[in-house]
Structures are given as structure tokens and as C-alpha cells.
């Protein structure tokens, strides 16, 4: 378990974010899924995103908060 520390304080805060489309339209399929997947890979590398997944109706992300 990765625990962050500052004098006398320990924390490990993670947040599960789901970004859904209006009316649950099927917008992420085929080439769009691949394009969004590559964008999420870059975001995971730059930011504190631990995991990301693209589904047909929505996007899941697991964030670690400092």
C-alpha cells in the first residue's frame, strides 16, 4: 500500500470518476475508442491517474489525490 506522509499525517486518497454521456448514447466505439484510449494513456502518464477505461457509454478513471 502506497501511503503519503507529512509530519504526523498519513493518507492514501483515491477517487473513482465516471464520465457518462447525455442520454447514454453509444458514442465510444471503433476508432473513437482507440483515439480516446491513447489520450487516456497520455493523461495517465502526465497526471495522477492510476487506471482508465473506455466503455461504449462512459469512461472510468481512478485518480490519486495529493
Amino acid at each position: 500500500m502506497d501511503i503519503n506522509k507529512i509530519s504526523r499525517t498519513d493518507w492514501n486518497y483515491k477517487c473513482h470518476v465516471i464520465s457518462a454521456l447525455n442520454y447514454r448514447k453509444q458514442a465510444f466505439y471503433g476508432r473513437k475508442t482507440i483515439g480516446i484510449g491513447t489520450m487516456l494513456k497520455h493523461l495517465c502518464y502526465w497526471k495522477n491517474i492510476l487506471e482508465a477505461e473506455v466503455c461504449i457509454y462512459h469512461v472510468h478513471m481512478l485518480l490519486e489525490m495529493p
Side-chain angles (χ1 to χ4, degrees), residues 6-61:
I6 293 179
S7 64
R8 300 183 190 157
T9 305
D10 299 340
W11 76 92
N12 186 6
Y13 183 73
K14 292 182 175 64
C15 182
H16 181 224
V17 177
I18 301 172
S19 177
L21 298 172
N22 287 345
Y23 310 112
R24 295 283 188 170
K25 293 181 182 177
Q26 291 185 357
F28 303 136
Y29 54 90
R31 291 185 179 182
K32 291 182 181 180
T33 302
I34 296 169
I36 292 170
T38 56
M39 287 191 297
L40 286 175
K41 281 183 186 177
H42 292 299
L43 280 174
C44 289
Y45 181 72
W46 292 332
K47 303 294 181 181
N48 290 331
I49 300 174
L50 301 177
E51 293 181 16
E53 180 183 6
V54 180
C55 297
I56 295 174
Y57 304 109
H58 54 278
V59 176
H60 290 269
M61 290 184 284

